[in-house]
Amino acid sequence: MDLLAQLVVNGLVNGSHYALLALGFGLIFGTTRVVHFAYGPVYALSAYGSWLAASMGAPLWLSGVAGVATGAIAGVLAYLVVYRPFEKRGSTSLVVLIASLGLFILLENAIGVVFGTDTKVVPSPPGGIFLWGPLVVTGVQLAQVAALAIVATAVGVYLTRTRMGKAVLAMTDNAEMARIIGIDTVRVSVIAFALGSAIAAVPATLILVKDGATAHMGFLAVFMAFVAVVVGGVGSLRGAVIGGLALGLIESTGMVRIPTEWQSSVAFVVLFIVLLFRPRGLFGGR
Amino acid sequence: MFQLKRRLPVLVAALSAASVFGTASAQDPQTYKIGAILAMSGQASFYGTVMSQGIKQAVDEINAKGGVNGIKLEAVIEDHKSGNAQEAVSAMNRLITINKVKIVMTSFSAPTQAVAPLADQHHIFLLNGGGVSNSLVGVSKYMFHNRSLAADLGLAAVAHLKSTGAKKLAMLQWKNDAGDSVVRATRPYWEKAGGSVVAIEAVPQGVTNMDTQIAKIRAANPDAIALWMFTPEVGLAVKRIRDFGMKQPIIGVEYTQNDAKIAGAQGEGYLFINDYFQPSDDQPWSKQFATDYEKRYGTKPDFYAANYYEGVYLIAELLKRAKAKGGDYMDAEVMKAALYDDPKFDSVYGGQMVFQPNGVAQKRVGLFKVEGGEKKFQSFVKPD
């Protein structure tokens, strides 16, 4: 019972991490329909932005801001330099997907070449470890859960209460109709890439603090984000968050009886089951 | 006719000399190309970086002294993309057919296993300084290792734990051939010695989150925890185990600079059994290598850099010995025979390494403990 309780806590923490990743990825994918696999290395680049600032003596909060700025700039550049030219030529989504994979490899290798292949770490912040009976949770883990609550709420408010947010939602709903009614879809796409990548920078910075950053940390991140978005339903940000949380919880609590060597297969199993019985995801539209 | 008779001995001598020199020059390449198939990209590219740096430093040093038999060395480095066997086979084919390489340094267990049949087929001498799985032993008749196998190090690790009185052991392993090979060797040893294995948890190589595994280990309440994994997961595992409030002794078979950075202060007290590479004043070659490496790359070398550095020196020495035997001395058969004629080679660890009949070099192995953020040598151990 103690183990199950601990696994639920771990699942909530990991799920919060996946949910944030899915929120950023889902916002970009849902709005622009670009399967932005380079989201992975952009996430990694954000962690390196935070690390660079921290290694130059910036306090942790300022390093986090630097990471968010790095992510947003990298995301916008990815759209304007790589995806937008294909969009203008009316390229198929398959071509854009291949461009995205190319950008993934390019960015990932560039990070390794520029920053080296060793793990980048920052000094552990105060906050320590909390013991609640048999349960253990660290300050960074609590921050991961809190980050989801804060960022998801802020994004929700932005999308529903601001003019630009509503434009993003309109484009997510129907890009063609949004264009017809006069929404500047290029501008909205830029906003989606900036916001989505900035969201990814939050879990990236927290992982840097928790475990350190590597050039290749983006692969698993984009994969889990993709699975969470598909499970939650493409176009539904609420679905992306719930998909991420569900994935984290299943991946963790599912191991209470199953040997942990199977853990990395859980995401695939969940993906297959959802695609089989609910191809549009848990909250996907018709 | 008279003139021909008078000149015949001169002609014969000239032809003989031409024949001898002609044969010699035919056997000598313009440069001695040493191929290396390393993890130059992908999740484990840290290994490829340090290994290739060790190789380049040794090649430059030897060339600065005039090369081997007056012939310069040339490193041709290929990428197996962090353990991809198919990439390793493609790289091996390129090395053999395009670069005409006869000597290849390998790393990682799966890529090394994958290229072994090609080595047998084309008589390529293989030297592994990084792969640790037992399954590498005998995988090719031309395969040699200047790296202790993980199972041997693991056995020494659990033997040490036994001497501390621990009874219940938990194992956290890489789910691959390297991790499995240590579990296969250590579990029966531990149980035969009267201990019990209360948990065996596995993570894939390159994992970034092992909280579930550590929660299960914590629930099993072991007396000690063994880590059968390699960098950077070792540093991450040590950090997370301590984050979970567990105070039990942790022992493993590796702890690189990278692991030390990740574990930080949580690494304090971690024990590991490893190849003894400890640059010090009483080991002049070791000290010189470490000093030059740090000057060149701005970071201290770990034993992986040392293994590939000394591997190049080993190959250089072997080329001299094989050439003395004559014939097609770069053929792996000749090199193998030259190696076993005298299986002792200088080691940058200090002293000499001695190749055993199974192709694995016996080197000095030590128990280390992390104290004050540094690895501190405790004692030499003899793996079973």
Side-chain angles (χ1 to χ4, degrees):
Chain A
M1 201 60 197
D2 291 350
L3 173 62
L4 183 62
Q6 182 66 58
L7 292 181
V8 169
V9 170
N10 291 353
L12 270 176
V13 172
N14 296 342
S16 300
H17 176 70
Y18 297 150
L20 271 176
L21 288 169
L23 183 61
F25 186 81
L27 188 67
I28 294 170
F29 185 29
T31 310
T32 66
R33 298 289 152 171
V34 173
V35 186
H36 178 39
F37 280 125
Y39 183 75
V42 166
Y43 158 84
L45 203 59
S46 307
Y48 276 76
S50 295
W51 169 78
L52 201 59
S55 60
M56 288 162 75
L60 206 55
W61 69 267
L62 191 57
S63 304
V65 172
V68 169
T70 306
I73 292 167
V76 171
L77 285 176
Y79 174 67
L80 293 177
V81 177
V82 180
Y83 303 129
R84 179 66 189 143
F86 287 107
E87 208 174 66
K88 275 202 265 190
R89 285 176 201 169
S91 303
T92 63
S93 54
L94 182 65
V95 171
V96 179
L97 175 73
I98 291 166
S100 166
L101 287 171
L103 184 62
F104 179 103
I105 294 165
L106 178 74
L107 279 178
E108 193 178 70
N109 284 324
I111 294 170
V113 169
V114 173
F115 294 103
T117 51
D118 57 329
T119 307
K120 306 297 180 200
V121 295
V122 293
S124 293
I129 300 162
F130 302 95
L131 290 165
W132 293 322
L135 299 181
V136 183
V137 64
T138 65
V140 180
Q141 287 179 317
L142 288 176
Q144 286 180 288
V145 179
L148 172 66
I150 294 166
V151 172
T153 306
V155 169
V157 170
Y158 173 77
L159 292 177
T160 53
R161 304 279 170 85
T162 67
R163 191 180 167 82
M164 187 50 76
K166 286 174 182 168
V168 170
L169 285 181
M171 195 170 155
T172 304
D173 196 42
N174 190 327
E176 195 54 42
M177 188 57 75
R179 201 173 293 117
I180 289 167
I181 62 169
I183 291 174
D184 182 348
T185 53
V186 175
R187 192 167 167 224
V188 172
S189 295
V190 169
I191 296 286
F193 267 89
L195 190 57
S197 306
I199 292 169
V202 176
T205 301
L206 289 167
I207 286 294
L208 167 73
V209 174
K210 190 180 165 199
D211 300 326
T214 65
H216 307 287
M217 65 192 283
F219 173 75
L220 203 62
V222 70
F223 174 71
M224 296 309 271
F226 180 76
V227 173
V229 166
V230 172
V231 168
V234 176
S236 166
L237 295 182
R238 184 177 57 147
V241 170
I242 292 172
L245 279 169
L247 208 56
L249 280 165
I250 294 167
E251 196 187 58
S252 184
T253 55
M255 295 302 112
V256 71
R257 293 272 175 231
I258 304 169
T260 46
E261 63 195 87
W262 291 100
Q263 192 177 30
S264 51
S265 311
V266 168
F268 286 104
V269 174
V270 172
L271 184 65
F272 288 149
I273 292 171
V274 170
L275 287 177
L276 201 59
F277 295 105
R278 207 173 160 86
R280 290 186 178 275
L282 300 176
F283 296 88
R286 285 208 277 164
Chain B
M1 190 67 193
F2 173 73
Q3 273 188 335
L4 183 63
K5 269 186 181 174
R6 259 182 36 183
R7 288 177 184 171
L8 195 58
V10 179
L11 203 59
V12 168
L15 282 171
S16 305
S19 156
V20 167
F21 288 121
T23 306
S25 60
Q27 303 299 343
D28 284 338
Q30 280 194 322
T31 56
Y32 287 126
K33 287 185 180 175
I34 300 175
I37 307 176
L38 309 175
M40 299 310 294
S41 66
Q43 289 184 332
S45 52
F46 170 79
Y47 287 105
T49 304
V50 298
M51 289 169 180
S52 60
Q53 286 178 171
I55 290 172
K56 285 173 192 164
Q57 184 173 329
V59 166
D60 289 348
E61 283 178 12
I62 293 168
N63 285 345
K65 291 175 204 157
V68 180
N69 305 320
I71 298 168
K72 296 280 172 75
L73 299 182
E74 182 186 343
V76 186
I77 292 170
E78 287 279 357
D79 183 11
H80 60 55
K81 299 185 178 168
S82 295
N84 186 317
Q86 204 175 340
E87 292 290 343
V89 170
S90 303
M92 186 73 164
N93 278 321
R94 281 195 297 276
L95 287 172
I96 294 169
T97 55
I98 298 170
N99 296 293
K100 311 292 180 200
V101 158
K102 299 292 286 179
I103 301 159
V104 174
M105 302 176 84
T106 68
S107 69
F108 284 52
S109 301
T112 302
Q113 278 179 294
V115 302
L118 285 168
D120 279 354
Q121 189 185 340
H122 297 275
H123 286 218
I124 307 294
F125 183 88
L126 295 179
L127 184 65
N128 159 48
V132 291
S133 169
N134 271 29
S135 57
L136 294 178
V137 175
V139 74
S140 159
K141 37 185 187 169
Y142 308 125
M143 171 99 249
F144 295 88
H145 313 266
N146 64 329
R147 161 83 160 112
S148 300
L149 298 177
D152 294 339
L153 299 175
L155 283 169
V158 291
H160 172 76
L161 280 182
K162 204 73 218 160
S163 71
T164 65
K167 295 277 183 209
K168 295 185 291 175
L169 180 63
M171 300 179 178
L172 181 57
Q173 64 155 126
W174 260 4
K175 191 61 203 166
N176 64 9
D177 199 31
D180 285 345
S181 71
V182 194
V183 173
R184 277 198 302 271
T186 53
R187 186 179 187 175
Y189 175 92
W190 184 260
E191 288 173 343
K192 199 174 168 190
S196 63
V197 177
V198 293
I200 300 178
E201 303 300 335
V203 294
Q205 185 183 342
V207 72
T208 51
N209 188 323
M210 49 182 85
D211 288 0
T212 305
Q213 287 77 1
I214 293 171
K216 290 185 85 170
I217 285 176
R218 184 167 175 263
N221 192 27
D223 296 331
I225 302 158
L227 302 182
W228 308 141
M229 47 177 49
F230 300 85
T231 195
E233 277 80 290
V234 176
L236 187 59
V238 171
K239 182 171 187 280
R240 300 301 291 147
I241 288 167
R242 294 303 182 220
D243 280 350
F244 267 71
M246 300 170 74
K247 310 259 187 250
Q248 290 94 329
I250 312 171
I251 197 164
V253 290
E254 180 164 283
Y255 199 67
T256 64
Q257 301 270 335
N258 202 29
D259 295 307
K261 264 202 320 185
I262 298 165
Q266 302 283 46
E268 208 60 17
Y270 170 69
L271 294 159
F272 62 105
I273 303 275
N274 206 345
D275 291 339
Y276 176 86
F277 173 64
Q278 191 84 330
S280 59
D281 290 332
D282 58 335
Q283 304 293 344
W285 190 23
S286 175
K287 182 89 190 273
Q288 187 63 50
F289 160 63
T291 307
D292 292 346
Y293 186 96
E294 195 167 354
K295 198 188 290 178
R296 185 172 170 147
Y297 299 114
T299 177
K300 288 180 181 171
D302 57 29
F303 74 98
Y304 281 113
N307 280 1
Y308 284 79
Y309 171 85
E310 78 172 10
V312 173
Y313 272 91
L314 185 156
I315 288 164
E317 174 61 23
L318 196 55
L319 281 167
K320 285 183 201 163
R321 295 185 193 178
K323 186 167 184 179
K325 291 174 89 73
D328 184 6
Y329 64 93
M330 290 189 75
D331 185 281
E333 273 300 339
V334 181
M335 292 191 66
K336 180 182 173 182
L339 184 143
Y340 279 127
D341 279 353
D342 178 9
K344 291 180 183 165
F345 291 83
D346 289 339
S347 171
V348 76
Y349 288 32
Q352 287 193 307
M353 58 183 140
V354 184
F355 280 91
Q356 304 165 87
N358 65 0
V360 182
Q362 216 165 38
K363 296 165 84 171
R364 293 201 292 183
V365 171
L367 170 67
F368 296 87
K369 186 176 187 181
V370 179
E371 289 175 340
E374 298 281 327
K375 67 170 193 179
K376 299 277 191 235
F377 172 68
Q378 305 294 303
S379 59
F380 285 113
V381 293
K382 190 166 167 43
D384 285 348

